[in-house]
Amino acid sequence: MPYVPENWILKPGLVLQEFTVLPQAPHITSADSVFNASGSAFSYQITATNSPEAFYVDALPYELQINTSTGVISGTTFLDSKGVYRLMIHAVNEGGVGSMLLQVNVR
């Protein structure tokens, strides 16, 4: 039974409902473009507002991986992997998903 203040008068047939207020969805605040030398170690930290609980990336190149708890994308780019990679990054909490396009420039 939900808490009812003492000064409330309850009438027969009145239904009290409990509800949960969800946080706002995360908003990604980290840089939207980064540079890396081919064949070098790569590390990128996804940062976001509203206490994200998990992170993920669509179509992550296989030489990179993401720690879904911390939001760190890391790995070593191949020597022949020069080019521009566009990655859709996401931060998640109970309120929803925040997404951003990250451009990784490998030279």
Side-chain angles (χ1 to χ4, degrees):
M1 175 103 180
Y3 168 77
V4 178
E6 290 180 22
N7 61 345
W8 282 23
I9 299 172
L10 297 180
K11 296 181 180 179
L14 179 67
V15 177
L16 295 178
Q17 293 182 334
E18 291 185 64
F19 61 93
T20 302
V21 177
L22 296 176
Q24 290 185 355
H27 173 75
I28 295 178
T29 58
S30 46
D32 63 358
S33 181
V34 294
F35 293 88
N36 196 67
S38 64
S40 298
F42 176 81
S43 183
Y44 175 86
Q45 172 71 60
I46 302 172
T47 57
T49 61
N50 300 323
S51 304
E53 298 167 355
F55 302 88
Y56 67 98
V57 180
D58 294 344
L60 190 63
Y62 68 92
E63 67 265 29
L64 301 178
Q65 53 275 333
I66 183 168
N67 181 316
T68 58
S69 298
T70 65
V72 173
I73 301 171
S74 61
T76 301
T77 56
F78 292 136
L79 286 173
D80 61 351
S81 62
K82 293 179 181 179
V84 177
Y85 299 85
R86 289 175 181 83
L87 308 175
M88 188 59 74
I89 60 176
H90 310 276
V92 182
N93 69 11
E94 288 182 332
V97 179
S99 302
M100 182 182 79
L101 186 63
L102 169 64
Q103 181 169 301
V104 180
N105 301 282
V106 180
R107 297 179 176 180

